[in-house]
Amino acid sequence: MGFREHPASVRRIVGIVLAVLLIGGVAAAVAAGRNSRDTSTATKTVRGVIGSEKAEFFADPEVVKALAARGFTVKTETSGSWAMDQLSLKGYDFAFPGSKAPADELQRRSTVKGGPIRPFYSPLVVVAHRSAAQVLADNGLAALSNRSSGKLLMAPYLKAAQADRTWQQLKGAQKHTELTGTVFIASTDPVASNSGALYLAAASYVADGGRVAADKAAIDRTAPLLKKLIRVQGAQQTSSDAPFRDFISGVGNPLVLVYESQVASLLLQNQQQELGDLVVLYPDTTVSSDHTLVPLTDSGRQLGELLSTDPGLRKLAVRHGFRPQGAAAEFIAATAGHTDYIDQQLTGIRQAPVPTATVLRTMAQRTRG
């Protein structure tokens, strides 16, 4: 009866319901589309080649999220800083070596206006096991501030290296069976890696009486010593990450050259337990690694400027142990609870000027000849 008696009115009601559902579906689809556009803000993909010490920074999910919110998806590949100029950079938007010298070489291949960008930096340090640090201090090669930090005295250390001093010749080393053989700092390959090359820059500056190598005569004066510093190590890595990981795992050499950022990153991410008996020795004459982004496209330049100026990204860079350029207060505030390891003000530490890329590359190659 009901349906059969009122077919027209029923059809009208069904039609109205279907129309409402259709309109609602369209509105929902529009809203979903609008929402998807709002949340998917990574509208530009940029590719770059970076030093391995920055790999964890760019892989950090919070960094990825922060960059996406600002319109960037960043894809990176790692390379030794001094090996980047050997790569074909076609298709890359930026190169990001660990210091100014290799960046200057790369800049010559860029047609983008404006120079390189230096968002953050990190001084070189030597990490030592506590027993090794104490023996160095007892023999005048280091000065400890506390159980976890101090200074490496570069002139006495280089004198010991020149004389091929062994751990067995240092008083107190006999109590530590792990301290054997020649005393040396393990560094990365200076021909390919930034930290290894900067180690030579600092060593040559100290060994040559505080002079920056500028010509063949200067290179000749320190070449024998620099060759000793490298040859005693045997095979070298091209990345500072592997020697540092070996060190905190309890294997490898008792003295390893790393970036301060590698230690600070573990501290600032609440991984202090991984450090074990690590002592941070700041060379009293050192070199800071100015992480320098070379824009190869306009998109690369936009990324570099963002890393330099965006407060959220600067904060994340600090969390990974880097010191933002021109903003010491940010790093000091973040590391306030870790001054037993970190020398926030780099007190009494001299910064050695770095030779030109050509001179430094020649110095590195001479260590092999």
Side-chain angles (χ1 to χ4, degrees), residues 82-83 188-193 196-197 200 236 361 364-368:
W82 284 90
T188 54
D189 181 355
V191 174
S193 170
L200 298 186
Q236 292 178 290
R361 190 183 295 277
Q365 291 169 343
R366 287 282 296 273
T367 66
R368 302 298 189 204

Side-chain angles (χ1 to χ4, degrees), residues 44-50 57-58 63 66-68 70-76 93-96 117 119-120 293-310 313:
K44 184 182 299 184
T45 297
V46 294
R47 293 183 63 226
V49 57
I50 63 173
F57 170 75
F58 281 106
V63 174
L67 287 168
R70 291 149 182 81
F72 286 90
T73 294
V74 180
K75 297 185 180 297
T76 62
D93 296 287
F94 67 95
F96 205 170
I117 300 168
F120 39 73
L293 187 147
V294 179
L296 303 174
T297 66
D298 289 337
S299 295
R301 172 160 290 284
Q302 291 167 16
L303 174 65
E305 291 171 349
L306 191 64
L307 293 173
S308 296
T309 60
D310 184 85
L313 287 167

